[in-house]
């Protein structure tokens, strides 16, 4: 395992993702798009929850804000490339606001505040028809046109015939790769260490001169911006958004992705989103039972490996790897 | 004025049922540091046990008893033994993983009912059906009064049990300080189990009372669970009377908003109240900031 460097694995993964939709139908391509979108949202939440240790049950509401802002702007003729940053920045500042309760309360209480926020956002979306279209939502958002790469239409790119859905998949993929690279850089930066410090021991972090107040707010704001980015992709990909697509259940789903994959692992959300989005497709033959099987699997996973699937992988790897063995006589000495 | 009295009373009646669920939630939180995200489903499920029992030919009173027994076993005993206990044994009880596990449990219960019983709302027999009384011009339904009386009776009984009996006091000791309670000879594990059983019984009672209003549907738990959390937090997470006050307050506020202010945003009022309370008075309206009691 160790002989193959990490970057080679990543390059291999990317190559698979690039060829994945070629020759596939619309259904499979859109499932992959949905996986990429939710991975972005889950990576945002992973920063808030996995790295900074602040629980948030409002990620779907940030997707909603991102999706609606993008939809409203693009429906009024503004290009997606302008609408997307606007949505992300808006989510950043709303996330900052939602972060304020985190300065006062922790753990379960924070979960409830964010849960209430999510439900409030859905209520506003449903009731303010003049802006959001009420429960009918917004539809027919245009797909962006990037000059030679018009995602709204079918055409040949570099000699390969690509459908509109396949091209929008590549838009998702590019966004995902850029976002993942930014996240990777962020986590390895001093800020990333500050987030981990906040999670592990806030008092110690503060005594080492860290402004925990600012870091908590930033963790929320950046995580929420991730949600907004996912939302602003959802708008042109699905081309139909309505309040129920962002209900509390979806926040819980994103939370599941983070925890099932492994909170605090960089690749955790990708794995988690794959399990949450793709597994139901594989379990489709079980018909209505798949959610039942799925919830049982989650309970078992939580009982035996709270650090998620990445945690299981880690444990297996650490068993296979050669380890330092403590000398028997030293152990004896410690007991004496 | 008459209308206000009507609105107030029906709000109190619904609120008292919310309070039952909220009290169970508080008890489990206190005794085992378990935030049960499946509490709403715990209120949804017992009504289906009643329906199953009645479908197999039992009369209503007998069906209620059977459903209560099954609920206490499944939602109390099995919940603790099969989910909470193994997680605490692995040293991660009370944390995020337990929250996720109870969320998954909620999905499991909801989907099982949908799959094995049906997705349609089922008619459910009312526990008490009566006419209306005319009190000073206000039309008051007997059912509402009965609901209020039953719920308050149960809460008073539970309070007496916790404060006056040996077992009740041992349960309080376990909630306040498990280590010391154990040193003093309290079987803490058993006391925590009792708390889970009581929670299941309270949830079943709430189920029997509220289902005739909402009809028995697999998705009932989503709303009820949220209301139970809000009631528990608003009232004060560490007190029975807090959860009671929270439940009543939410019930009344909900009704008053719907009648006098806005029907569209009626669901928003409890949420705004929740955020306000958590931010400005995290211990709740009646809660105390330190120490815990059952």
């Amino acid at each position: 395992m160790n002989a193959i460097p990490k970057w080679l694995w990543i390059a291999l993964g990317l190559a698979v993702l690039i060829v994945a939709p070629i020759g596939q139908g619309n259904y499979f391509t859109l499932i992959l798009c949905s996986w990429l979108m939710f991975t972005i949202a889950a990576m945002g939440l992973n920063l808030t929850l996995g790295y900074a240790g602040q629980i948030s049950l409002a990620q779907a509401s940030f997707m909603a804000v991102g999706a609606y802002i993008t939809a409203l702007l693009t429906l009024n003729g503004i290009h997606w490339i302008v609408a997307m940053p606007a949505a992300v920045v808006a989510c950043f500042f709303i996330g900052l606001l939602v972060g304020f309760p985190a300065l006062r309360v922790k753990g379960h209480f924070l979960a409830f505040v964010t849960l209430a926020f999510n439900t409030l956002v859905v209520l506003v979306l449903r009731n303010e028809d003049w802006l959001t279209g009420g429960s009918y939502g917004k539809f027919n958002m245009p797909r962006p046109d990037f000059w030679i790469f018009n995602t709204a239409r079918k055409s040949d790119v570099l000699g390969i015939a690509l459908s509109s859905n396949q091209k929008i998949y590549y838009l998702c993929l590019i966004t995902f790769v850029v976002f993942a690279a930014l996240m990777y850089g962020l986590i390895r930066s001093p800020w990333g260490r500050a987030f981990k410090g906040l999670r592990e021991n806030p008092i110690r972090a503060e005594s080492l001169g860290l402004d925990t107040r600012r870091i908590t707010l930033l963790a929320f704001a950046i995580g929420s911006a991730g949600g907004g980015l996912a939302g602003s992709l959802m708008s042109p990909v699905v081309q139909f958004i309505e309040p129920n697509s962002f209900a509390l259940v979806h926040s819980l789903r994103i939370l599941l992705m983070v925890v099932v994959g492994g909170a605090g692992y960089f690749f955790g959300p990708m794995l988690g989103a794959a399990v949450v989005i793709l597994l139901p497709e594989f379990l489709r033959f079980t018909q209505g039972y798949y959610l039942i099987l799925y919830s049982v699997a989650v309970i078992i996973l939580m009982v035996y490996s709270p650090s998620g699937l990445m945690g299981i992988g880690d444990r297996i790897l650490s068993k296979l790897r050669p380890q330092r063995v403590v000398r028997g006589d030293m152990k004896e000495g410690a007991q004496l | 004025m008459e209308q206000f009295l009507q609105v107030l009373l029906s709000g109190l009646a619904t609120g008292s049922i919310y309070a039952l669920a909220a009290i169970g939630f508080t008890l489990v939180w206190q005794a085992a540091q378990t935030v049960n995200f499946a509490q709403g489903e715990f209120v949804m499920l017992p009504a289906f046990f009643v329906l199953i029992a009645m479908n197999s030919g039992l009369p209503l009173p007998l069906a209620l008893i059977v459903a209560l027994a099954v609920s206490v076993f499944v939602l109390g005993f099995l919940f603790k033994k099969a989910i909470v206990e193994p997680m605490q044994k692995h040293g991660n009880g009370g944390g995020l993983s337990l929250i996720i596990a109870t969320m998954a449990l909620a999905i499991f219960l909801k989907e099982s009912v949908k799959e094995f019983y049906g997705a349609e709302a089922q008619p459910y027999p009312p526990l008490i059906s009566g006419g209306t009384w005319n009190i000073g011009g206000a039309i008051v339904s007997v059912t509402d009064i009965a609901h209020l009386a039953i719920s308050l009776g149960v809460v008073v009984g539970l309070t007496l049990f916790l404060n006056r009996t040996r077992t009740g006091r041992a349960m309080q000791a376990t909630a306040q300080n498990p280590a010391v309670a154990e040193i003093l000879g309290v079987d803490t594990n058993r006391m925590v189990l009792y708390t889970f059983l009581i929670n299941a019984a309270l949830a079943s009672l709430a189920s029997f009372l509220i289902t005739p209003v909402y009809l028995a549907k697999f998705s009932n738990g989503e709303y009820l669970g949220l209301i139970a959390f809000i009631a528990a937090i608003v009232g004060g997470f560490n007190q029975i009377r807090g959860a009671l006050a929270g439940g009543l307050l939410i019930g009344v506020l909900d009704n008053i908003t719907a009648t006098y202010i806005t029907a569209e945003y009626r669901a928003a009022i409890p949420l705004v109240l929740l955020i306000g309370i958590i931010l400005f008075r995290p211990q709740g309206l009646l809660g105390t900031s330190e120490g815990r009691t059952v």
Side-chain angles (χ1 to χ4, degrees):
Chain A
M1 279 296 277
N2 271 347
I4 308 167
K6 209 175 191 177
W7 62 266
L8 206 64
W9 281 109
I10 294 172
L12 195 71
L14 262 181
V16 169
L17 286 181
I18 289 172
V19 295
I22 293 176
Q24 300 287 350
N26 286 333
Y27 178 71
F28 185 74
T29 313
L30 285 177
I31 293 277
L32 282 179
C33 285
S34 147
W35 172 64
L36 286 174
M37 287 185 306
F38 276 101
T39 303
I40 293 176
M43 282 170 82
L45 182 62
N46 192 28
L47 184 78
T48 319
L49 176 82
Y51 288 100
Q54 310 291 318
I55 186 167
S56 162
L57 292 179
Q59 195 68 347
S61 63
F62 293 110
M63 282 182 81
V65 173
Y68 273 88
I69 289 181
T70 313
L72 289 172
L73 290 179
T74 50
L75 281 174
N76 284 312
I78 295 168
H79 196 277
W80 182 81
I81 206 74
V82 181
M84 183 268 286
V88 171
V89 169
C91 284
F92 182 88
F93 284 107
I94 298 174
L96 210 58
L97 283 182
V98 175
F100 272 99
L103 299 174
R104 289 196 57 128
V105 291
K106 293 261 172 287
H108 309 117
F109 289 96
L110 191 55
F112 290 123
V113 174
T114 50
L115 181 151
F117 174 77
N118 197 116
T119 318
L120 278 177
V121 167
V122 172
L123 267 176
V124 171
L125 291 179
R126 188 172 300 148
N127 288 333
E128 302 303 318
D129 306 27
W130 59 275
L131 186 67
T132 63
S135 17
Y136 296 108
K138 289 276 172 199
F139 36 86
N140 288 336
M141 279 76 80
R143 287 184 169 175
D145 177 2
F146 298 99
W147 188 47
I148 51 162
F149 192 76
N150 184 353
T151 59
R153 201 171 303 122
K154 174 176 187 170
S155 66
D156 282 12
V157 178
L158 304 172
I160 305 166
L162 291 178
S163 69
S164 168
N165 280 336
Q166 281 164 339
K167 280 196 273 188
I168 203 87
Y169 167 80
Y170 287 114
L171 179 66
C172 291
L173 185 60
I174 292 166
T175 318
F176 163 73
V177 170
V178 172
F179 181 70
L182 286 177
M183 277 306 225
Y184 192 67
L186 179 72
I187 283 158
R188 290 165 66 93
S189 75
W191 275 9
R193 287 170 196 284
F195 289 140
K196 281 183 219 167
L198 184 67
R199 174 189 68 189
E200 294 302 330
N201 192 338
I203 297 168
R204 180 128 192 247
E206 187 143 26
S207 73
L208 290 173
L210 196 70
D211 187 352
T212 47
R213 203 180 141 81
R214 204 182 64 174
I215 289 297
T216 311
L217 290 179
L218 266 179
F220 262 92
I222 299 176
S224 313
L229 181 63
S232 72
L233 278 174
M234 192 164 183
S235 181
V237 170
V238 186
Q239 292 183 297
F240 168 61
I241 50 173
E242 47 111 17
N244 276 338
S245 339
F246 307 103
L248 186 62
V249 205
H250 297 278
S251 279
L252 300 184
R253 260 177 91 203
I254 300 173
L255 182 70
L256 260 179
M257 292 173 193
V258 174
V259 175
V260 165
Y265 289 91
F266 184 74
F267 293 99
M270 301 173 202
L271 185 63
V275 172
V276 174
I277 303 253
L278 302 180
L279 197 62
E281 301 302 323
F282 287 118
L283 288 178
R284 202 153 274 253
F285 71 92
T286 60
Q287 286 162 4
Y289 299 108
Y290 81 84
L291 269 174
I292 300 177
L293 294 173
Y294 176 70
S295 53
V296 171
V298 170
I299 294 177
I300 295 173
L301 181 70
M302 284 302 109
V303 170
Y304 292 102
S305 174
S307 50
L309 293 171
M310 294 294 277
I312 295 185
D314 253 11
R315 258 193 264 169
I316 294 171
L317 276 184
S318 68
K319 281 216 175 112
L320 294 178
R321 280 196 186 123
Q323 276 171 354
R324 289 173 64 126
V325 176
V326 180
R327 268 166 55 193
D329 53 334
M330 295 292 279
K331 223 195 280 175
E332 197 82 347
Q335 276 171 6
L336 285 174
Chain B
M1 189 60 216
E2 283 82 22
Q3 195 199 11
F4 181 74
L5 198 66
Q6 264 164 251
V7 168
L8 183 72
L9 210 80
S10 75
L12 282 176
T14 332
S16 66
I17 304 176
Y18 296 155
L20 291 178
I23 289 170
F25 185 68
T26 309
L27 286 178
V28 167
W29 155 251
Q30 286 303 312
Q33 282 75 54
T34 305
V35 173
N36 182 11
F37 269 79
Q39 187 76 359
E41 276 66 28
F42 279 30
V43 179
M44 174 274 294
L45 194 61
F48 282 93
F49 289 148
V50 174
L51 287 178
I52 292 169
M54 285 178 70
N55 287 348
S56 57
L58 293 179
L60 181 61
L62 211 57
L64 287 176
I65 294 170
V66 170
L68 181 67
V70 173
S71 308
V72 167
F73 177 72
V74 174
L75 303 178
F77 187 77
L78 278 188
F79 175 49
K80 171 154 196 303
K81 293 288 173 189
I83 295 179
V84 179
E85 216 163 80
M87 294 193 79
Q88 282 171 341
K89 214 172 281 170
H90 284 74
N92 47 57
L96 182 65
S97 38
L98 190 52
I99 292 183
I100 301 279
T102 57
M103 282 174 187
L105 179 66
I107 300 177
F108 175 72
L109 295 177
K110 200 161 61 183
E111 292 298 321
S112 304
V113 167
K114 186 173 154 195
E115 204 52 43
F116 297 115
Y117 200 92
E120 300 297 312
Q122 313 282 333
Y124 181 86
L127 206 54
I128 302 114
S129 51
T132 51
W133 285 342
N134 193 326
I135 304 177
I139 315 286
V140 173
S141 102
V142 177
T143 320
D144 280 353
I145 303 273
H147 283 173
L148 195 57
I150 294 176
S151 314
L152 291 185
V154 167
V155 172
V156 169
L158 182 64
T159 315
L160 287 179
F161 168 71
L162 289 174
N163 288 334
R164 298 287 167 82
T165 65
R166 203 180 163 76
T167 320
R169 298 190 75 87
M171 284 169 68
Q172 293 206 32
T174 308
Q176 278 174 9
N177 194 331
V180 174
E182 191 131 29
I183 292 169
L184 292 176
V186 174
D187 186 349
T188 48
N189 203 17
R190 175 175 290 259
M191 294 306 142
V192 172
L193 179 63
Y194 286 164
T195 323
F196 276 76
L197 299 184
I198 291 177
N199 172 44
L202 286 174
S204 314
L205 184 62
S207 179
F208 301 155
L209 294 179
I210 201 130
T211 314
V213 184
Y214 285 132
L215 299 181
K217 191 157 190 248
F218 70 96
S219 57
N220 276 356
E222 294 164 12
Y223 177 71
L224 288 171
L226 192 62
I227 289 291
F229 300 148
I230 296 180
I233 293 173
V234 165
F237 222 158
N238 48 16
Q239 307 255 320
I240 279 197
R241 56 195 164 95
L244 177 64
L248 294 177
L249 183 68
I250 299 281
V252 171
L253 260 185
D254 192 34
N255 257 14
I256 289 182
T257 326
T259 321
Y260 295 106
I261 306 171
T262 155
E264 283 173 342
Y265 279 107
R266 70 186 285 189
I269 300 295
L271 298 171
V272 173
L273 189 68
L274 171 77
I275 295 181
I277 291 278
I278 289 187
L279 287 185
F280 299 110
R281 204 179 150 75
Q283 70 271 35
L285 289 176
L286 297 180
T288 41
S289 42
E290 78 256 282
R292 291 205 305 258
T293 45
V294 166

